[in-house]
Amino acid sequence: MKTILSILALALLYIPVLGQGNSDNCLNCHLDWEDDDGPAHKITRDVHFQKGLGCADCHGGNTSADDMDDVRESRDYIGIPDFLKVPDFCAHCHSDAAYMHEHNPSLPVDQLAKYKTSIHGQRLFGRKDKKVANCVSCHSVHEVGGGRMPHSSTHPVNLPQTCGKCHADTEYMAEYGISTSQLDEFTNSIHGQALLERNDLGAPACNDCHGNHGAAPPGVNSLAAVCGLCHAIEAELFNRSPHAEAFRENDIPMCEICHSNHFIIKPSDSMIGSEEPAICTDCHSADDGTIGFMTADSLRVSIDNLVRFHGKAQQTLDEAIAKGMMTTDEEFLMKEVDQSLIQTRMHIHAFNIDSVEPKAKLGIAKADSVRVMSAELIDEYYFRRQGLAVATLIITFLAIMLYRKIRKIEK
């Protein structure tokens, strides 16, 4: 029964192609010859096949021929393209705007042009390097899927592994002299954890920073722009900071110097200051002739003060909540304190105490209001308890007196 159902399922998948004209003998033969991992079996997952394209649309040949020699002798037979010619092979359709409009008008048609500008394309076309990535290296063969398809090699969750097939292979990459630790570092980074563990598709994958068809490592001067695609406010603050010009003059990678590139961990307040483990000490020293340490210490004091007031406010509010008091206003104000803390930490990228201190003071004032309001609620709670105790005593006393009065009347 299972075999019959499999045959019926395959038949249903192949009906669209078979219905386009003559019987597709490519599939008829290859399904018999190949095991389950063969192209004829994989192709049911391929977006081209699902949109009605058949073998001959890419490989040419006469699909009605019964003999393979007859197929090879067909006038337009292409067969398996040479690795160096794959980009032109795919671009035959994907660079044809009119053709793509009929099949998927949402796809750009400049992939080949961009690929030629990438380090991959330059080595493939310029040095005839068959180890660099071409179309099939990233998109697979016969299982090509759109980037939104979960099984696709270019789906964001799968992309690190797709790039890592080459870039994490130490032996394969040895001749290029570049690191092969990117995949491990990204996997353990805050970006990798969000994407790969929590399936957060808003987190960046490789192509969000390096591009896809025009893939290239971000340059020193473009790092702020690349990171700024997501971290726009931080990038704007940095570009107006005293660090921006100094970094450009000394070819210091902007975001990377503090946050790393692939192994980006969650930032903490301990990164700021003039003592270890603050990263400010990586570049600045007490006698470097700058105000670096003084600014770093001032920034750290502002943040620490806000964090301390935030903690006291949250602790007092939690106690009021635990006692069952109505804390709607206090909880709403506490969210503003949370926001102040986020904004204060964000303004660190301005590296200017005049930008950070006002944010911190505003947050401190709100946090203190939350603490005072919550404390008043707690005082009210104890006042109500004391009142309840007194009322209970009075009621009990009255009940006893009433009982004694009733007994006296009965006697």
Side-chain angles (χ1 to χ4, degrees):
M1 178 60 74
K2 186 176 180 180
T3 302
I4 295 174
L5 290 175
S6 299
I7 293 173
L8 287 173
L10 283 171
L12 288 172
L13 287 168
Y14 296 142
I15 281 175
V17 172
L18 298 177
Q20 291 176 356
N22 295 329
S23 173
D24 192 337
N25 281 338
C26 303
L27 288 175
N28 294 338
C29 294
H30 280 269
L31 282 171
D32 290 337
W33 297 341
E34 297 169 0
D35 57 27
D36 292 344
D37 292 329
H41 293 271
K42 287 182 177 180
I43 202 167
T44 56
R45 290 158 59 91
D46 192 289
V47 68
H48 300 106
F49 182 84
Q50 293 167 358
K51 287 184 175 294
L53 299 179
C55 307
D57 290 297
C58 293
H59 297 285
N62 182 359
T63 60
S64 63
D66 293 325
D67 188 88
M68 192 61 214
D69 289 335
D70 293 337
V71 175
R72 293 193 183 97
E73 292 172 1
S74 302
R75 188 166 57 90
D76 60 347
Y77 177 72
I78 298 173
I80 301 174
D82 183 83
F83 188 88
L84 296 175
K85 296 180 179 178
V86 168
D88 290 314
F89 177 84
C90 298
H92 178 73
C93 296
H94 282 273
S95 293
D96 187 334
Y99 181 85
M100 292 305 298
H101 185 77
E102 298 297 323
H103 293 81
N104 188 346
S106 66
L107 278 182
V109 291
D110 60 349
Q111 296 100 327
L112 178 58
K114 286 183 176 178
Y115 176 76
K116 287 181 177 178
T117 68
S118 73
I119 189 67
H120 295 144
Q122 290 172 16
R123 294 190 68 94
L124 184 86
F125 290 114
R127 303 186 185 184
K128 309 301 179 188
D129 185 351
K130 291 190 175 184
K131 290 181 66 178
V132 297
N134 66 13
C135 312
V136 298
S137 307
C138 301
H139 292 280
S140 81
V141 185
H142 302 117
E143 283 185 302
V144 180
R148 295 180 181 179
M149 295 182 177
H151 77 270
S152 170
S153 56
T154 56
H155 186 276
V157 172
N158 302 327
L159 202 58
Q161 286 295 335
T162 298
C163 300
K165 281 191 302 184
C166 296
H167 284 277
D169 188 329
T170 304
E171 183 178 349
Y172 191 83
M173 297 300 295
E175 66 181 274
Y176 300 106
I178 60 177
S179 171
T180 53
S181 61
Q182 299 96 329
L183 179 58
D184 283 341
E185 290 177 351
F186 175 79
T187 301
N188 292 297
S189 74
I190 190 170
H191 291 147
Q193 290 170 355
L195 180 67
L196 304 176
E197 296 178 14
R198 300 195 296 275
N199 206 33
D200 180 359
L201 300 184
C206 311
N207 65 324
D208 291 298
C209 299
H210 296 281
N212 37 37
H213 300 101
V220 168
N221 293 329
S222 65
L223 262 179
V226 171
C227 302
L229 289 173
C230 297
H231 301 283
I233 297 177
E234 289 88 341
E236 177 63 25
L237 290 168
F238 177 85
N239 285 330
R240 289 191 275 119
S241 76
H243 275 161
E245 183 177 352
F247 279 26
R248 280 193 291 270
E249 289 177 351
N250 293 282
D251 287 337
I252 299 174
M254 297 179 173
C255 310
E256 179 184 349
I257 194 68
C258 297
H259 296 282
S260 177
N261 46 17
H262 299 102
F263 185 49
I264 298 173
I265 62 173
K266 185 177 181 179
S268 68
D269 297 338
S270 65
M271 295 172 68
I272 303 296
S274 60
E275 297 179 0
E276 299 286 350
I279 57 175
C280 305
T281 61
D282 293 346
C283 299
H284 288 284
S285 62
D287 56 354
D288 64 1
T290 72
I291 60 172
F293 266 12
M294 183 178 70
T295 302
D297 284 337
S298 299
L299 297 174
R300 180 64 181 274
V301 168
S302 290
I303 291 180
D304 285 350
N305 285 338
L306 176 53
V307 169
R308 187 169 63 256
F309 274 81
H310 178 281
K312 289 180 179 177
Q314 187 66 63
Q315 182 180 8
T316 310
L317 175 59
D318 289 343
E319 185 179 348
I321 293 173
K323 295 185 181 310
M325 302 303 290
M326 181 69 73
T327 57
T328 305
D329 292 340
E330 290 74 15
E331 290 182 62
F332 185 81
L333 187 56
M334 192 66 209
K335 291 186 183 300
E336 294 186 17
V337 179
D338 293 339
Q339 192 63 29
S340 291
L341 185 54
I342 293 172
Q343 291 179 352
T344 301
R345 284 168 169 159
M346 185 186 300
H347 274 72
I348 288 294
H349 296 88
F351 301 104
N352 185 336
I353 188 61
D354 292 336
S355 177
V356 173
E357 196 170 39
K359 297 287 182 184
K361 286 184 175 178
L362 180 62
I364 288 172
K366 291 181 178 178
D368 202 43
S369 294
V370 172
R371 184 189 61 79
V372 170
M373 292 164 65
S374 300
E376 289 175 351
L377 290 175
I378 295 171
D379 289 343
E380 183 180 340
Y381 166 80
Y382 284 114
F383 177 77
R384 290 181 183 179
R385 286 192 66 180
Q386 292 171 356
L388 178 62
V390 172
T392 302
L393 288 174
I394 293 174
I395 293 172
T396 303
F397 174 75
L398 291 175
I400 294 173
M401 295 301 294
L402 180 61
Y403 173 76
R404 293 181 63 183
K405 184 68 175 178
I406 293 172
R407 291 292 303 270
K408 188 176 181 180
I409 293 172
E410 289 176 349
K411 290 180 178 178

